[in-house]
Amino acid sequence: MPATVENGPPAGPPRPAPRPAPRAARASGLRSDAGRRRLVAAAFLLPALVLLGALVVQPIGYSLYRSLFDRSGDVFVGAANYGEIVRDPTIRTALGNTALWVVLAPTTATALGLIFAVLTERVRWGTAFKLLVFMPMAISMLAAGIIFRLVYDHDPQRGVANAVWVGVHDTFAESSAFPKARPGRDSPLEPAEGGAFVTRTAVRAGVPVMLPLVGVAPEDLPAGTRTAGVAAAEPGKVTGTVWQDFTRGGGGRTNAVDATEQGFSGMRVEAVRDGRVVASATARADGTFSLPAAADGARLRLPGANFRAAYAGVEWLGPTLVTPAVIGAYVWMWAGFAMVLIGAGLAAVPRELLEAARVDGAGEWQVFRRITVPLLAPVLSVVLVTLVINVMKIFDLVFVIAPGAVQDDANVLALQLYRTSFGTDADQGLGSAIAVLLLVLVVPVMLVNIRRLRKEGDR
């Protein structure tokens, strides 16, 4: 009888185990899956690749091609346009200024951002301060340029920078109130060294001396000035009057004090004998003065300090300072950007490390220099590289802030590219060569950024 299993169906022959698929079939299937995934990825990337080719690759290729032709685009000149870049002094200035921008602007903005981020962590109103520092990022470059064009105005009545600078200067070195005063017609005064004026003859005690001047507008006279008075004769003393010998509306007598003429309050008067000052005095509010008996027989001198031109401040937009001034405007805009990124990195720094260093006796400067900054090094490199790429193409600030007379002195490559390629004297061959040069200068910074991103992706 055939063998049976209790309470079960009859046992049959064992089933064979499934045989594995051939290796070639498995590899073919994997290749097929990978191919499908690549096709799907390519389908999604195709629109972006088309746009990238149309907006980036094609213009780069055409700029490279166009840089090999002359102004008209019909004559092949090879590398002649690149040689012109080296020979043209204006383009060389633009290269030098661009290098200055790359060195100063990113490092200054990053350093300020680091300082602001660290300090605002310790104050209660740090968030409000960060908001104020970051607000310039909301302003366009054009608007910022207009703002700083006014800030750097040379007139202290309009330019904030010079208003502050002149105020500080005048606090320690008061400017003259009579910079344009000079002797009038038939005056008893004559010019002397150092911008001074002296009497033509020696003066005598007891005989009032008249020292008339012209050239100062009535509204520019010092505060507290009064109507000129006639000095009374004093025995043993030299007296006199120094005043504005001009009657508004005409009339009046020359070299004589008239009823409506103003005294030169605060004018310095010196008695000089044999090249030495033997006595001095300061004119009163009505222009009268009195010198001791030592002035008898001396000549009176009005020192050049009385007529020194008023301090007008710094020529921020002059040939020397225009580039640092524009860099200052850029830093004002981008320090907030650096501060926000560095602040985000600072929030991720383990507080245990900082507290442990303080417990071990490290000072705040040591904690900052040896712990905070090294831990923030990746964030600092991101900010620095981003700003370097940004300043390589800076254009608007320089174009708006720098006046036309000094635009060559403030020139940068991006601005020179625009000035060369467009306008009445356009040379698109040379402009394309400048564009290619700018691309070549940006590429190393981009490669550094790509390498950094790869390293972060491998972690």
Side-chain angles (χ1 to χ4, degrees):
M1 294 180 63
T4 62
V5 178
E6 187 178 356
N7 300 326
R15 294 179 180 178
R19 299 178 64 181
R23 181 178 301 177
R26 291 201 307 272
S28 175
L30 290 175
R31 284 195 298 270
S32 177
D33 291 341
R36 282 196 298 271
R37 286 196 295 270
R38 283 195 293 269
L39 287 175
V40 171
F44 279 103
L45 288 175
L46 183 61
L49 292 174
V50 170
L51 287 175
L52 187 67
L55 300 179
V56 178
V57 177
Q58 190 274 337
I60 291 175
Y62 181 75
S63 296
L64 181 60
Y65 168 80
R66 185 67 178 83
S67 69
L68 303 177
F69 288 81
D70 70 343
R71 184 189 301 266
S72 65
D74 299 327
V75 180
F76 180 81
V77 295
N81 287 321
Y82 296 95
E84 182 64 21
I85 290 177
V86 178
R87 293 189 298 270
D88 192 321
T90 303
I91 301 178
R92 289 205 303 269
T93 301
L95 275 169
N97 287 338
T98 301
L100 191 64
W101 269 88
V102 169
V103 171
L104 288 183
T107 53
T108 305
T110 304
L112 284 177
L114 175 61
I115 293 171
F116 291 157
V118 171
L119 293 183
T120 50
E121 275 205 330
R122 299 175 171 272
V123 293
R124 186 173 301 175
W125 39 268
T127 303
F129 179 81
K130 287 181 179 179
L131 179 63
L132 289 175
V133 175
F134 188 74
M135 278 179 63
M137 284 292 299
I139 303 174
S140 69
M141 287 281 195
L142 175 62
I146 294 172
I147 290 171
F148 274 86
R149 180 67 178 267
L150 296 175
V151 167
Y152 291 134
D153 195 290
H154 192 234
D155 185 357
Q157 301 298 323
R158 293 189 298 174
V160 176
N162 265 341
V164 174
W165 195 268
V166 170
V168 173
H169 174 273
D170 289 350
T171 300
F172 299 98
E174 187 176 356
S175 298
S176 168
F178 318 104
K180 297 181 180 179
R182 64 188 186 279
R185 185 182 58 193
D186 301 326
S187 173
L189 293 167
E190 62 181 5
E193 293 182 359
F197 300 106
V198 298
T199 56
R200 298 178 187 275
T201 59
V203 298
R204 294 299 177 185
V207 179
V209 182
M210 310 304 286
L211 302 177
L213 294 169
V214 295
V216 181
E219 59 271 16
D220 293 338
L221 290 171
T225 296
R226 301 208 317 249
T227 302
V230 179
E234 296 182 29
K237 292 185 177 181
V238 174
T239 59
T241 304
V242 54
W243 83 103
Q244 169 86 333
D245 188 19
F246 173 78
T247 300
R248 179 172 286 185
R253 296 165 297 162
T254 303
N255 298 334
V257 177
D258 295 308
T260 61
E261 294 174 350
Q262 302 292 305
F264 279 167
S265 174
M267 179 74 75
R268 185 75 173 168
V269 183
E270 297 174 343
V272 181
R273 182 185 290 113
D274 299 328
R276 293 187 304 109
V277 177
V278 296
S280 63
T282 300
R284 305 178 186 94
D286 62 355
T288 59
F289 61 89
S290 177
L291 293 166
D296 186 29
R299 297 173 71 185
L300 298 190
R301 179 174 67 186
L302 302 179
N306 288 319
F307 314 106
R308 183 177 55 243
Y311 183 66
V314 178
E315 196 176 359
W316 299 104
L317 299 182
T320 305
L321 294 178
V322 61
T323 295
V326 181
I327 290 176
Y330 178 89
V331 170
W332 175 77
M333 290 192 67
W334 288 87
F337 166 81
M339 177 194 66
V340 170
L341 290 189
I342 295 171
L346 194 60
V349 172
R351 301 301 167 187
E352 298 81 5
L353 294 178
L354 306 180
E355 295 302 327
R358 294 187 181 103
V359 170
D360 289 341
E364 290 300 323
W365 171 246
Q366 291 176 311
V367 171
F368 173 76
R369 185 166 58 91
R370 296 184 178 275
I371 298 178
T372 304
V373 172
L375 289 176
L376 288 176
V379 179
L380 294 176
S381 65
V382 170
V383 174
L384 199 60
V385 170
T386 303
L387 293 181
V388 167
I389 295 175
N390 186 268
V391 300
M392 291 289 287
K393 54 188 180 64
I394 193 71
F395 165 81
D396 354 35
L397 279 181
V398 181
F399 184 73
V400 176
I401 295 178
V406 296
Q407 208 161 80
D408 283 345
D409 300 284
N411 203 9
V412 290
L413 278 178
L415 178 58
Q416 183 61 35
L417 168 61
Y418 167 79
R419 295 171 64 187
T420 303
S421 301
F422 305 98
T424 56
D425 193 31
D427 185 346
Q428 293 190 356
L430 181 57
S432 299
I434 297 174
V436 173
L437 173 63
L438 195 56
L439 174 65
V440 169
L441 294 176
V442 170
V443 165
V445 184
M446 294 175 59
L447 292 178
V448 170
N449 205 25
I450 293 172
R451 181 177 299 178
R452 178 189 58 77
L453 291 174
R454 286 179 176 174
K455 286 183 178 179
E456 289 184 358
D458 293 341
R459 291 178 182 176

